[in-house]
Coordinates of all heavy atoms in Angstrom, one line a residue:
R1 N 31.1 133.3 98.9 CA 30.4 133.7 100.1 C 31.0 132.9 101.2 O 31.2 131.8 101.2 CB 28.9 133.5 99.8 CG 28.1 133.0 100.9 CD 26.7 132.6 100.5 NE 26.6 131.2 101.0 CZ 25.4 130.7 101.4 NH1 24.3 131.4 101.3 NH2 25.4 129.5 101.9
L2 N 31.1 133.6 102.4 CA 31.6 133.0 103.6 C 30.5 132.1 104.2 O 29.4 132.6 104.4 CB 32.0 134.1 104.6 CG 32.5 133.6 105.9 CD1 33.8 132.8 105.7 CD2 32.8 134.8 106.8
V3 N 30.8 130.9 104.4 CA 29.7 130.0 105.0 C 29.9 129.7 106.5 O 28.9 129.6 107.2 CB 29.8 128.6 104.2 CG1 28.8 127.6 104.8 CG2 29.6 128.8 102.7
Y4 N 31.1 129.7 107.0 CA 31.4 129.4 108.4 C 32.6 130.1 108.9 O 33.6 130.2 108.2 CB 31.6 127.9 108.5 CG 31.9 127.4 109.9 CD1 30.9 127.2 110.8 CD2 33.2 127.2 110.3 CE1 31.2 126.8 112.1 CE2 33.5 126.8 111.6 CZ 32.5 126.6 112.5 OH 32.8 126.2 113.7
T5 N 32.5 130.7 110.1 CA 33.6 131.2 110.8 C 33.6 130.6 112.2 O 32.6 130.5 112.8 CB 33.6 132.8 110.9 OG1 32.4 133.1 111.6 CG2 33.6 133.4 109.5
G6 N 34.8 130.3 112.6 CA 34.9 129.7 114.0 C 35.7 128.5 114.0 O 36.1 128.0 113.0
P7 N 35.8 127.9 115.2 CA 36.6 126.7 115.3 C 35.9 125.5 114.7 O 34.7 125.5 114.6 CB 36.7 126.5 116.8 CG 35.6 127.2 117.4 CD 35.3 128.3 116.5
I8 N 36.7 124.5 114.2 CA 36.1 123.3 113.7 C 35.4 122.5 114.7 O 34.3 121.9 114.5 CB 37.2 122.4 113.0 CG1 37.8 123.2 111.8 CG2 36.6 121.1 112.5 CD1 36.8 123.4 110.7
T9 N 35.9 122.4 115.9 CA 35.3 121.7 117.0 C 34.5 122.7 117.9 O 35.1 123.6 118.5 CB 36.3 120.9 117.9 OG1 37.3 121.8 118.3 CG2 36.9 119.8 117.1
P10 N 33.2 122.6 118.0 CA 32.4 123.5 118.8 C 32.8 123.5 120.2 O 33.1 122.4 120.8 CB 31.0 123.1 118.5 CG 31.0 121.8 117.8 CD 32.4 121.6 117.4
D11 N 32.8 124.7 120.9 CA 33.0 124.8 122.3 C 34.4 124.3 122.7 O 34.7 124.0 123.9 CB 32.0 124.1 123.1 CG 30.6 124.6 122.8 OD1 30.4 125.8 122.5 OD2 29.6 123.8 122.9
H12 N 35.3 124.0 121.8 CA 36.6 123.6 122.0 C 36.7 122.3 122.9 O 37.6 122.1 123.6 CB 37.5 124.7 122.7 CG 37.5 125.9 121.9 ND1 38.2 126.1 120.8 CD2 36.9 127.1 122.1 CE1 38.0 127.3 120.3 NE2 37.2 128.0 121.1
Q13 N 35.7 121.5 122.8 CA 35.7 120.2 123.5 C 36.3 119.2 122.7 O 36.1 119.1 121.5 CB 34.2 119.8 123.8 CG 33.6 120.6 124.9 CD 32.2 120.0 125.3 OE1 31.6 119.3 124.5 NE2 31.8 120.4 126.5
Q14 N 37.2 118.4 123.3 CA 37.9 117.3 122.6 C 37.1 116.0 122.8 O 36.7 115.7 123.9 CB 39.3 117.2 123.2 CG 40.1 116.1 122.5 CD 41.5 116.0 123.1 OE1 41.8 116.7 124.1 NE2 42.4 115.3 122.5
S15 N 37.0 115.3 121.7 CA 36.4 114.0 121.8 C 37.4 112.9 121.5 O 38.2 113.0 120.5 CB 35.2 113.9 120.7 OG 34.6 112.7 120.8
L16 N 37.4 111.9 122.3 CA 38.4 110.8 122.2 C 37.7 109.5 121.9 O 36.6 109.2 122.5 CB 39.2 110.6 123.4 CG 40.0 111.8 123.9 CD1 40.5 111.6 125.3 CD2 41.1 112.2 123.0
L17 N 38.2 108.6 121.1 CA 37.8 107.2 121.0 C 38.7 106.4 121.9 O 39.9 106.4 121.8 CB 37.8 106.7 119.6 CG 36.7 107.2 118.7 CD1 36.9 106.7 117.3 CD2 35.4 106.8 119.2
V18 N 38.1 105.7 122.9 CA 38.9 105.0 123.9 C 38.5 103.5 123.8 O 37.3 103.2 123.9 CB 38.6 105.5 125.3 CG1 39.3 104.8 126.4 CG2 38.9 107.0 125.4
T19 N 39.4 102.6 123.7 CA 39.2 101.2 123.7 C 39.8 100.6 125.0 O 41.0 100.7 125.3 CB 39.8 100.5 122.5 OG1 39.3 101.2 121.3 CG2 39.4 99.0 122.4
L20 N 38.9 99.9 125.7 CA 39.3 99.4 127.1 C 39.2 97.8 127.1 O 38.4 97.2 126.4 CB 38.4 100.0 128.1 CG 38.4 101.5 128.2 CD1 37.3 101.9 129.2 CD2 39.7 102.0 128.6
D21 N 39.9 97.3 128.1 CA 39.8 95.8 128.4 C 38.5 95.5 129.0 O 37.9 94.5 128.6 CB 41.0 95.4 129.3 CG 41.0 93.9 129.5 OD1 40.6 93.2 128.6 OD2 41.5 93.5 130.6
Q22 N 38.0 96.2 129.9 CA 36.8 95.9 130.7 C 35.5 96.1 130.0 O 34.5 95.6 130.4 CB 36.8 96.6 132.0 CG 37.9 96.2 132.9 CD 37.8 96.8 134.3 OE1 36.9 97.6 134.6 NE2 38.8 96.6 135.1
G23 N 35.5 96.8 128.9 CA 34.3 96.9 128.0 C 33.1 97.4 128.8 O 33.0 98.5 129.2
K24 N 32.1 96.5 128.9 CA 30.8 96.8 129.5 C 30.9 97.3 130.9 O 30.0 97.9 131.5 CB 29.9 95.6 129.4 CG 29.6 95.2 128.0 CD 28.2 95.6 127.6 CE 27.9 95.1 126.2 NZ 27.0 96.0 125.5
K25 N 32.0 97.0 131.6 CA 32.2 97.4 133.0 C 32.8 98.8 133.2 O 33.3 99.1 134.2 CB 33.0 96.4 133.7 CG 32.4 95.0 133.8 CD 33.4 94.0 134.4 CE 32.8 92.6 134.3 NZ 33.8 91.6 134.8
A26 N 32.8 99.6 132.1 CA 33.5 100.9 132.1 C 32.5 102.0 132.5 O 32.7 103.1 132.1 CB 34.1 101.1 130.7
D27 N 31.6 101.7 133.4 CA 30.7 102.8 133.9 C 31.4 103.9 134.6 O 30.9 105.0 134.7 CB 29.6 102.2 134.8 CG 28.7 101.2 134.1 OD1 28.6 101.2 132.9 OD2 28.2 100.3 134.9
Y28 N 32.6 103.7 135.1 CA 33.3 104.6 135.8 C 33.8 105.8 135.0 O 34.2 106.8 135.5 CB 34.5 104.0 136.5 CG 35.6 103.5 135.5 CD1 36.6 104.4 135.1 CD2 35.5 102.2 135.0 CE1 37.6 103.9 134.2 CE2 36.5 101.8 134.1 CZ 37.5 102.6 133.7 OH 38.4 102.2 132.8
L29 N 33.8 105.7 133.6 CA 34.4 106.7 132.8 C 33.7 108.1 133.0 O 34.4 109.1 133.0 CB 34.2 106.3 131.3 CG 35.1 105.2 130.8 CD1 34.8 104.8 129.3 CD2 36.6 105.6 130.9
L30 N 32.4 108.1 133.2 CA 31.7 109.4 133.4 C 32.1 110.0 134.7 O 32.0 111.2 134.9 CB 30.2 109.2 133.3 CG 29.4 110.4 133.1 CD1 29.9 111.2 131.9 CD2 27.9 110.0 132.9
D31 N 32.6 109.2 135.6 CA 33.0 109.8 136.9 C 34.4 110.4 136.9 O 34.8 111.0 137.9 CB 32.9 108.7 138.0 CG 31.5 108.2 138.2 OD1 30.6 108.9 138.0 OD2 31.4 107.0 138.6
L32 N 35.1 110.2 135.8 CA 36.5 110.7 135.8 C 36.5 112.2 135.7 O 35.7 112.8 135.0 CB 37.3 110.1 134.6 CG 37.5 108.6 134.6 CD1 38.2 108.2 133.3 CD2 38.2 108.1 135.8
P33 N 37.4 112.9 136.3 CA 37.5 114.4 136.3 C 37.7 114.8 134.8 O 38.6 114.3 134.1 CB 38.6 114.7 137.2 CG 39.1 113.5 137.8 CD 38.4 112.3 137.2
G34 N 37.0 115.8 134.4 CA 37.2 116.3 133.0 C 36.3 115.7 131.9 O 36.3 116.1 130.8
V35 N 35.6 114.6 132.3 CA 34.8 113.9 131.3 C 33.4 114.4 131.4 O 32.8 114.4 132.5 CB 34.8 112.4 131.5 CG1 33.8 111.7 130.6 CG2 36.2 111.8 131.3
S36 N 32.8 114.9 130.3 CA 31.5 115.5 130.3 C 30.5 114.5 129.7 O 29.3 114.6 130.0 CB 31.4 116.8 129.6 OG 31.8 116.6 128.2
Q37 N 30.9 113.6 128.8 CA 30.0 112.7 128.2 C 30.7 111.4 127.8 O 31.8 111.5 127.3 CB 29.3 113.4 126.9 CG 28.3 112.6 126.2 CD 27.7 113.3 125.1 OE1 28.1 114.4 124.7 NE2 26.7 112.7 124.4
V38 N 30.0 110.3 127.9 CA 30.5 109.0 127.4 C 29.4 108.3 126.6 O 28.3 108.2 127.1 CB 30.9 108.1 128.6 CG1 31.4 106.7 128.1 CG2 32.0 108.8 129.4
E39 N 29.7 107.8 125.4 CA 28.7 107.1 124.7 C 29.4 105.8 124.1 O 30.5 105.9 123.6 CB 28.0 107.9 123.6 CG 28.8 108.5 122.6 CD 28.0 109.4 121.6 OE1 27.3 108.8 120.8 OE2 28.2 110.6 121.7
P40 N 28.8 104.7 124.3 CA 29.4 103.4 123.7 C 29.4 103.4 122.2 O 28.4 103.9 121.6 CB 28.5 102.3 124.3 CG 27.3 103.0 124.9 CD 27.6 104.4 125.0
V41 N 30.5 103.0 121.6 CA 30.6 102.8 120.2 C 30.5 101.4 119.8 O 29.9 101.0 118.8 CB 32.0 103.4 119.7 CG1 32.2 103.2 118.2 CG2 32.0 104.9 120.0
S42 N 31.2 100.5 120.6 CA 31.1 99.1 120.4 C 31.3 98.4 121.8 O 31.3 99.1 122.8 CB 32.2 98.6 119.4 OG 33.5 98.8 120.0
N43 N 31.5 97.1 121.8 CA 31.6 96.4 123.0 C 32.7 96.9 124.0 O 32.5 97.0 125.2 CB 31.8 94.9 122.8 CG 31.7 94.0 124.0 OD1 30.9 94.3 124.9 ND2 32.5 93.0 124.0
Q44 N 33.8 97.3 123.4 CA 34.9 97.8 124.3 C 35.3 99.2 124.0 O 36.2 99.8 124.6 CB 36.2 96.9 124.1 CG 36.0 95.5 124.6 CD 37.3 94.7 124.4 OE1 37.6 94.4 123.3 NE2 38.0 94.4 125.5
Q45 N 34.7 99.9 123.0 CA 35.1 101.2 122.6 C 34.0 102.3 123.0 O 32.8 102.0 122.9 CB 35.3 101.3 121.1 CG 36.0 102.5 120.7 CD 36.4 102.5 119.2 OE1 35.5 102.3 118.3 NE2 37.7 102.6 118.9
Y46 N 34.5 103.4 123.5 CA 33.7 104.5 123.9 C 34.1 105.8 123.3 O 35.3 106.0 123.1 CB 33.7 104.6 125.4 CG 33.2 103.4 126.1 CD1 34.0 102.3 126.4 CD2 31.9 103.3 126.5 CE1 33.5 101.2 127.0 CE2 31.4 102.2 127.1 CZ 32.2 101.1 127.3 OH 31.7 100.0 127.9
R47 N 33.2 106.7 123.1 CA 33.4 108.1 122.7 C 33.4 108.9 123.9 O 32.3 109.0 124.6 CB 32.4 108.6 121.7 CG 32.6 110.0 121.2 CD 31.7 110.4 120.1 NE 31.9 109.6 118.9 CZ 31.1 108.6 118.4 NH1 30.0 108.3 119.0 NH2 31.5 107.9 117.3
V48 N 34.5 109.5 124.3 CA 34.6 110.2 125.6 C 34.8 111.7 125.2 O 35.7 112.0 124.5 CB 35.8 109.7 126.4 CG1 35.9 110.6 127.7 CG2 35.6 108.2 126.8
T49 N 33.9 112.6 125.7 CA 34.0 114.0 125.4 C 34.6 114.7 126.7 O 34.0 114.4 127.8 CB 32.6 114.6 125.1 OG1 32.1 113.9 124.0 CG2 32.7 116.1 124.7
L50 N 35.6 115.4 126.5 CA 36.3 116.1 127.6 C 35.8 117.5 127.7 O 35.6 118.2 126.8 CB 37.8 116.1 127.4 CG 38.5 114.8 127.2 CD1 40.0 115.0 127.0 CD2 38.2 113.8 128.3
S51 N 35.5 117.9 129.0 CA 35.2 119.3 129.2 C 36.4 120.1 129.8 O 36.5 121.3 129.7 CB 34.0 119.4 130.2 OG 34.3 118.8 131.4
A52 N 37.3 119.3 130.3 CA 38.5 119.9 130.9 C 39.5 118.7 130.9 O 39.2 117.6 130.7 CB 38.3 120.4 132.3
G53 N 40.8 119.1 131.2 CA 41.8 118.0 131.3 C 42.3 117.7 129.9 O 41.9 118.2 128.9
T54 N 43.2 116.7 129.9 CA 43.8 116.3 128.7 C 43.7 114.8 128.5 O 43.3 114.0 129.4 CB 45.3 116.6 128.7 OG1 45.9 115.8 129.7 CG2 45.6 118.1 128.9
A55 N 44.0 114.3 127.3 CA 43.9 112.8 127.1 C 44.9 112.1 128.0 O 44.6 111.0 128.5 CB 44.3 112.6 125.6
A56 N 46.0 112.7 128.3 CA 47.0 112.1 129.3 C 46.4 111.9 130.7 O 46.6 110.9 131.3 CB 48.3 112.9 129.3
D57 N 45.6 112.9 131.1 CA 44.9 112.8 132.4 C 43.9 111.7 132.4 O 43.8 110.9 133.4 CB 44.2 114.1 132.7 CG 45.1 115.3 132.9 OD1 46.3 115.1 133.2 OD2 44.6 116.5 132.6
I58 N 43.2 111.5 131.3 CA 42.2 110.5 131.2 C 42.9 109.1 131.2 O 42.4 108.2 131.9 CB 41.3 110.7 130.0 CG1 40.6 112.0 130.1 CG2 40.3 109.5 129.9 CD1 39.7 112.2 131.4
A59 N 43.9 109.0 130.4 CA 44.7 107.7 130.4 C 45.2 107.3 131.7 O 45.1 106.2 132.2 CB 45.8 107.9 129.4
D60 N 45.8 108.3 132.5 CA 46.3 108.0 133.8 C 45.1 107.5 134.7 O 45.3 106.6 135.5 CB 46.9 109.2 134.4 CG 48.3 109.6 133.9 OD1 48.9 108.7 133.2 OD2 48.7 110.7 134.0
A61 N 44.0 108.2 134.7 CA 42.8 107.8 135.5 C 42.3 106.4 135.2 O 42.0 105.7 136.1 CB 41.7 108.9 135.4
I62 N 42.3 106.1 133.9 CA 41.8 104.8 133.5 C 42.7 103.7 134.0 O 42.3 102.7 134.6 CB 41.7 104.7 131.9 CG1 40.5 105.5 131.4 CG2 41.6 103.2 131.5 CD1 40.5 105.7 129.9
I63 N 44.0 103.9 133.9 CA 45.0 102.9 134.4 C 45.0 102.8 135.9 O 45.1 101.7 136.4 CB 46.4 103.3 133.8 CG1 46.4 103.1 132.3 CG2 47.5 102.5 134.5 CD1 47.6 103.7 131.6
N64 N 44.8 104.0 136.6 CA 44.7 104.0 138.0 C 43.5 103.2 138.5 O 43.5 102.7 139.7 CB 44.8 105.4 138.6 CG 46.1 106.0 138.5 OD1 47.2 105.3 138.4 ND2 46.2 107.3 138.4
R65 N 42.5 103.1 137.7 CA 41.3 102.4 138.1 C 41.5 100.9 137.8 O 40.6 100.1 138.1 CB 40.1 102.8 137.2 CG 39.6 104.2 137.5 CD 38.8 104.3 138.8 NE 37.7 103.5 138.9 CZ 36.5 103.8 139.2 NH1 36.2 105.1 139.4 NH2 35.5 103.0 139.2
G66 N 42.6 100.5 137.3 CA 42.9 99.1 137.1 C 42.4 98.5 135.8 O 42.5 97.3 135.5
D67 N 42.0 99.4 134.9 CA 41.6 98.9 133.5 C 42.8 99.0 132.6 O 43.8 99.7 132.9 CB 40.5 99.8 133.0 CG 39.6 99.2 132.0 OD1 39.9 98.1 131.5 OD2 38.5 99.7 131.7
R68 N 42.7 98.2 131.5 CA 43.8 98.2 130.5 C 43.3 99.1 129.4 O 42.2 98.9 128.8 CB 44.1 96.8 130.1 CG 44.8 96.0 131.2 CD 45.0 94.6 130.8 NE 45.9 94.5 129.7 CZ 46.0 93.4 129.0 NH1 45.4 92.3 129.3 NH2 46.8 93.4 127.9
L69 N 44.1 100.0 129.0 CA 43.8 100.9 127.9 C 44.5 100.4 126.6 O 45.7 100.3 126.5 CB 44.4 102.3 128.2 CG 44.2 103.4 127.2 CD1 42.7 103.7 126.9 CD2 44.9 104.7 127.6
F70 N 43.7 99.9 125.7 CA 44.2 99.4 124.4 C 44.4 100.5 123.4 O 45.4 100.3 122.6 CB 43.2 98.3 123.9 CG 43.1 97.1 124.7 CD1 41.9 96.5 124.9 CD2 44.3 96.5 125.2 CE1 41.8 95.3 125.6 CE2 44.2 95.3 125.9 CZ 43.0 94.7 126.1
E71 N 43.6 101.5 123.4 CA 43.7 102.5 122.3 C 43.0 103.8 122.8 O 42.0 103.7 123.5 CB 43.0 102.1 121.0 CG 43.1 103.1 120.0 CD 42.3 102.7 118.7 OE1 41.3 102.0 118.8 OE2 42.6 103.2 117.6
M72 N 43.6 104.9 122.5 CA 43.0 106.2 122.8 C 43.5 107.1 121.6 O 44.7 107.3 121.4 CB 43.5 106.8 124.1 CG 42.9 108.2 124.3 SD 43.5 108.9 125.9 CE 42.4 108.1 127.0
R73 N 42.5 107.7 120.9 CA 42.9 108.6 119.8 C 41.8 109.7 119.7 O 40.7 109.5 120.0 CB 43.0 107.8 118.5 CG 41.8 107.1 118.0 CD 42.0 106.3 116.8 NE 41.0 105.4 116.5 CZ 39.9 105.6 115.7 NH1 39.8 106.8 115.2 NH2 39.0 104.7 115.6
P74 N 42.3 110.8 119.3 CA 41.3 111.9 119.1 C 40.4 111.6 118.0 O 40.7 111.0 117.0 CB 42.2 113.1 118.7 CG 43.6 112.6 118.5 CD 43.6 111.2 119.0
E75 N 39.1 112.0 118.2 CA 38.1 111.8 117.2 C 37.8 113.1 116.5 O 37.7 114.1 117.2 CB 36.8 111.2 117.7 CG 35.8 110.9 116.7 CD 34.5 110.5 117.3 OE1 34.0 111.1 118.2 OE2 34.0 109.5 116.7
G76 N 37.8 113.1 115.2 CA 37.4 114.3 114.5 C 36.7 114.0 113.2 O 36.8 112.8 112.7
D77 N 36.0 114.9 112.7 CA 35.4 114.7 111.4 C 36.4 114.6 110.3 O 37.4 115.2 110.3 CB 34.5 115.9 111.1 CG 33.2 115.9 111.9 OD1 32.9 114.9 112.6 OD2 32.5 117.0 111.9
S78 N 36.1 113.8 109.3 CA 36.9 113.7 108.1 C 36.7 115.0 107.3 O 35.8 115.7 107.6 CB 36.5 112.5 107.3 OG 35.2 112.7 106.7
L79 N 37.6 115.2 106.4 CA 37.4 116.4 105.5 C 36.1 116.4 104.8 O 35.4 117.4 104.7 CB 38.6 116.5 104.5 CG 38.6 117.7 103.6 CD1 38.7 119.0 104.4 CD2 39.8 117.6 102.7
E80 N 35.7 115.2 104.4 CA 34.4 115.1 103.7 C 33.2 115.4 104.6 O 32.3 116.1 104.2 CB 34.2 113.7 103.1 CG 32.9 113.4 102.4 CD 32.8 112.0 101.8 OE1 33.8 111.4 101.6 OE2 31.7 111.6 101.5
Q81 N 33.2 114.9 105.9 CA 32.2 115.2 106.8 C 32.1 116.7 107.1 O 31.0 117.2 107.2 CB 32.4 114.4 108.1 CG 32.2 112.9 107.9 CD 32.7 112.1 109.2 OE1 33.7 112.5 109.8 NE2 31.9 111.1 109.5
T82 N 33.3 117.3 107.3 CA 33.3 118.7 107.6 C 32.7 119.5 106.4 O 31.9 120.4 106.6 CB 34.7 119.2 107.9 OG1 35.2 118.4 109.0 CG2 34.8 120.7 108.2
F83 N 33.1 119.2 105.2 CA 32.6 119.9 104.0 C 31.1 119.7 103.9 O 30.4 120.7 103.7 CB 33.3 119.3 102.7 CG 32.8 119.9 101.5 CD1 33.2 121.2 101.1 CD2 31.9 119.2 100.7 CE1 32.8 121.7 99.9 CE2 31.4 119.8 99.5 CZ 31.8 121.0 99.1
S84 N 30.6 118.5 104.1 CA 29.2 118.3 104.0 C 28.4 119.0 105.0 O 27.4 119.7 104.8 CB 28.8 116.8 104.2 OG 29.4 116.0 103.1
R85 N 28.9 119.1 106.3 CA 28.3 119.8 107.3 C 28.2 121.3 107.0 O 27.2 121.9 107.2 CB 29.0 119.5 108.7 CG 28.2 120.1 109.9 CD 28.9 119.8 111.2 NE 30.1 120.7 111.3 CZ 31.4 120.2 111.4 NH1 31.6 118.9 111.3 NH2 32.4 121.0 111.5
L86 N 29.3 121.8 106.5 CA 29.3 123.3 106.2 C 28.5 123.6 105.0 O 27.8 124.7 105.0 CB 30.8 123.7 106.0 CG 31.7 123.6 107.2 CD1 33.1 124.0 106.9 CD2 31.2 124.5 108.3
T87 N 28.5 122.8 104.0 CA 27.8 123.2 102.8 C 26.3 122.9 102.9 O 25.5 123.5 102.2 CB 28.4 122.5 101.5 OG1 28.3 121.1 101.8 CG2 29.8 122.9 101.3
L88 N 25.9 122.0 103.8 CA 24.5 121.7 104.0 C 23.8 122.6 105.0 O 22.7 122.5 105.3 CB 24.3 120.3 104.3 CG 24.7 119.3 103.3 CD1 24.6 117.8 103.8 CD2 23.9 119.5 102.0
G89 N 24.6 123.6 105.5 CA 24.0 124.6 106.4 C 24.0 124.3 107.9 O 23.3 125.0 108.6
D90 N 24.8 123.4 108.4 CA 24.9 123.2 109.8 C 25.9 124.2 110.5 O 25.9 124.3 111.7 CB 25.4 121.8 110.1 CG 24.3 120.8 109.9 OD1 23.1 121.2 109.7 OD2 24.5 119.6 110.0
G91 N 26.7 124.9 109.7 CA 27.6 125.9 110.3 C 27.0 127.2 110.6 O 25.9 127.5 110.1
T92 N 27.6 128.0 111.4 CA 27.1 129.3 111.7 C 27.5 130.3 110.6 O 28.6 130.1 110.1 CB 27.5 129.8 113.1 OG1 29.0 129.8 113.1 CG2 27.0 129.0 114.2
Q93 N 26.7 131.2 110.3 CA 27.1 132.1 109.2 C 27.4 133.5 109.8 O 27.0 133.9 110.8 CB 26.0 132.2 108.2 CG 25.8 130.9 107.5 CD 24.8 131.1 106.3 OE1 24.5 132.1 105.9 NE2 24.3 130.0 105.9

């Protein structure tokens, strides 16, 4: 039986894990063009959801703000998380 059809990432929004030097002083992230949501993960790491733009655009904007970018990587569910979400009924049918 078909459980899910559609993209793995809903609404085609990209989520990035970003690690910065300034940590707690990174309130400016939400003001960057193309950023729709920012949530802290740890002292220096944030989950940044993009509504437009690319990771390169965000990296340029962070550096232009004078912050140091230590890490930026796409965030995605693991295969196990995706399987659990789909088989437990969170997917559209």
